């Protein structure tokens, strides 16, 4: 048994919940088996994912996102807001902005403060890409915009990379997410699997349900909300360069998509849940 207590910190962004592990001093990340156990809602702590915070030479920390199935995601907007709240609230300071290294690059984050520390975070998510190795365009060289999804007659989608891959289905019934999501996640056109957004355009913005790669249905998905907004702008269903409301099962995010897709912005709430000690497991 280890004699050194290892603490975890639980956060959520609109119900999309994460376990934060701070390894900035040790620098050693967890493996897939341990992340699966941590996320198990019956035998572990329970979460949609684990956020490992590791040393960075270019930012305050490097965030690695471990999905509930043990896979690693390039980026997670809700997870990054949780990481920012942890980093800032434990720093004893109130910076105007911080930078965090992710699999999608170094992202600038602007905390918004409330009575209990960071209450919301605005993130510069970087560019939305229509041609990327993790999209069908990585093979064809052509953007996949409003085209029929191969093998799914009548189903049209937009392929967008926010660092991680997304297949956005505009005007697709939200209740189809649980039925179609598992199959579309593993569509052969996406070499690293994909997140899938089921989207309804409303007078107020977008209503979105996300099937997350490696997690399944979640209460919210930051990169998914961004990808859905990008698709709606590209389809000329919503305006560019305006803050758009994206309503997910867990609540609202606000997204701004520039006309050139150069720097998508995300703003949303974040909450601390609880902290505890990670138990020792045999073989770890």
């Amino acid at each position: 048994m280890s004699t050194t207590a290892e603490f975890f910190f639980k956060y959520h962004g609109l119900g999309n919940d994460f376990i934060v592990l701070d390894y900035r001093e040790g620098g050693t990340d967890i493996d897939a088996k341990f992340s699966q156990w941590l996320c198990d809602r019956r035998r572990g702590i329970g979460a949609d994912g684990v956020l490992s915070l590791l040393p960075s030479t270019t930012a305050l920390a490097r965030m690695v996102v471990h999905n509930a199935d043990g896979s690693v995601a390039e980026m997670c907007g809700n997870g990054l807001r949780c990481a920012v709240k942890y980093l800032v609230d434990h720093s004893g300071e109130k910076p105007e902005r911080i930078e965090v290294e992710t699999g999608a690059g170094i992202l600038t984050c602007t905390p918004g403060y409330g009575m209990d520390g960071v209450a919301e975070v605005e993130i510069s998510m970087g560019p939305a890409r229509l041609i990327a190795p993790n999209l069908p365009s990585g093979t064809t060289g052509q953007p996949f915009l409003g085209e029929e999804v191969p093998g799914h007659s009548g189903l049209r989608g937009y392929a967008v990379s926010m660092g991680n891959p997304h297949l956005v289905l505009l005007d697709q019934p939200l209740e189809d997410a649980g039925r179609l999501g598992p199959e579309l996640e593993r569509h052969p056109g996406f070499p690293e699997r994909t997140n899938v957004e089921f989207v309804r355009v409303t007078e107020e913005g977008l209503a979105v349900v996300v099937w997350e790669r490696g997690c399944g249905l979640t209460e919210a998905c930051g990169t998914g909300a961004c990808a859905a907004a990008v698709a709606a702008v590209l389809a000329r269903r919503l305006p560019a360069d305006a803050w758009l409301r994206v309503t997910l099962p867990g609540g609202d995010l606000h997204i701004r998509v520039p006309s050139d897709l150069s720097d998508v912005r995300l703003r949303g709430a974040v909450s601390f849940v609880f902290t505890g000690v990670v138990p020792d497991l045999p073989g770890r």
Side-chain angles (χ1 to χ4, degrees), residues 238-254:
L238 291 176
D241 301 305
W243 283 103
L244 307 173
R245 187 168 78 180
V246 179
T247 300
L248 300 122
D252 292 344
L253 292 172
H254 291 85

Side-chain angles (χ1 to χ4, degrees), residues 49-246:
V50 180
L51 309 175
S52 291
L53 300 179
L54 300 169
S56 173
T57 59
T58 54
L60 184 58
R62 178 167 68 93
M63 181 186 75
V64 179
V65 183
H66 298 267
N67 292 322
D69 70 349
S71 61
V72 174
E74 300 90 340
M75 173 53 189
C76 176
N78 286 329
L80 181 53
R81 296 204 315 281
C82 292
V84 169
K85 180 170 175 60
Y86 170 82
L87 289 166
V88 172
D89 286 354
H90 286 78
S91 72
E93 301 177 353
K94 289 188 175 181
E96 291 186 5
R97 61 182 56 84
I98 67 169
E99 291 186 336
V100 179
E101 183 181 352
T102 75
I106 297 174
L107 301 181
T108 300
C109 310
T110 304
Y113 297 97
M115 294 293 292
D116 298 316
V118 175
E120 69 170 19
V121 181
E122 181 178 322
I123 302 172
S124 172
M125 299 286 286
R129 294 182 173 88
L130 306 180
I131 298 179
N134 56 9
L135 302 179
S137 59
T139 300
T140 67
Q142 299 295 320
F144 190 91
L145 302 176
E147 299 181 36
E148 186 170 272
V149 179
H152 295 269
S153 179
L155 199 65
R156 294 186 174 275
Y158 290 72
V160 179
S161 175
M162 293 302 308
N164 56 352
H166 296 267
L167 174 62
V168 181
L169 307 173
L170 294 179
D171 303 315
Q172 189 67 28
L174 305 186
E175 58 269 21
D176 285 353
R179 178 174 63 87
L180 295 176
E183 181 179 357
L184 292 172
E185 175 189 350
R186 299 179 179 277
H187 193 281
F190 293 85
E192 299 171 6
R193 298 186 292 164
T194 187
N195 303 278
V196 189
E197 284 73 43
F198 297 76
V199 182
R200 182 175 72 246
V201 182
T202 70
E203 292 183 359
E204 295 79 19
L206 299 176
V208 180
V209 173
V210 182
W211 179 271
E212 282 202 49
R213 176 186 58 167
C215 296
L217 292 174
T218 56
E219 289 287 294
C221 176
T223 56
C226 291
V230 168
V233 167
L234 291 172
R236 299 175 185 259
R237 303 287 295 278
L238 291 176
D241 301 305
W243 283 103
L244 307 173
R245 187 168 78 180
V246 179

